[in-house]
Amino acid sequence: AMITAYAQHANSREALGLFQKMQLAGGIPDKFTFVGILSACASNASLPEGKVMHAQLLDCGFELDVILGTALVNM
């Protein structure tokens, strides 16, 4: 929820930083975490980071649905 809040309020760097901290702490992202982080990449024009996030969500076994697909298109 915090990652999405940061992304929605133009704090993309904070969203990306929080995502990295979550991963380092062993947190497992869910679909909504990826939607938030992809939105942060889109608002920050971070296509390379967005591609990494896309690969990670596929590695986690998430299938693309309308929500994730829309986040990817927006990126």
Side-chain angles (χ1 to χ4, degrees):
M2 287 182 64
I3 290 172
T4 301
Y6 279 137
Q8 289 176 347
H9 292 94
N11 291 315
S12 301
R13 285 281 142 213
E14 288 85 355
L16 292 167
L18 186 58
F19 183 78
Q20 289 176 339
K21 287 179 184 178
M22 182 188 82
Q23 288 188 307
L24 290 173
I28 300 171
D30 62 11
K31 176 174 103 170
F32 301 104
T33 303
F34 279 112
V35 169
I37 205 66
L38 289 170
S39 296
C41 291
S43 67
N44 198 33
S46 299
L47 185 58
E49 289 172 326
K51 287 182 178 182
V52 170
M53 297 304 148
H54 181 207
Q56 284 185 8
L57 79 89
L58 294 176
D59 287 344
C60 288
F62 291 104
E63 293 187 24
L64 294 182
D65 59 11
V66 173
I67 296 169
L68 284 170
T70 300
L72 287 168
V73 168
N74 288 339
M75 186 183 61

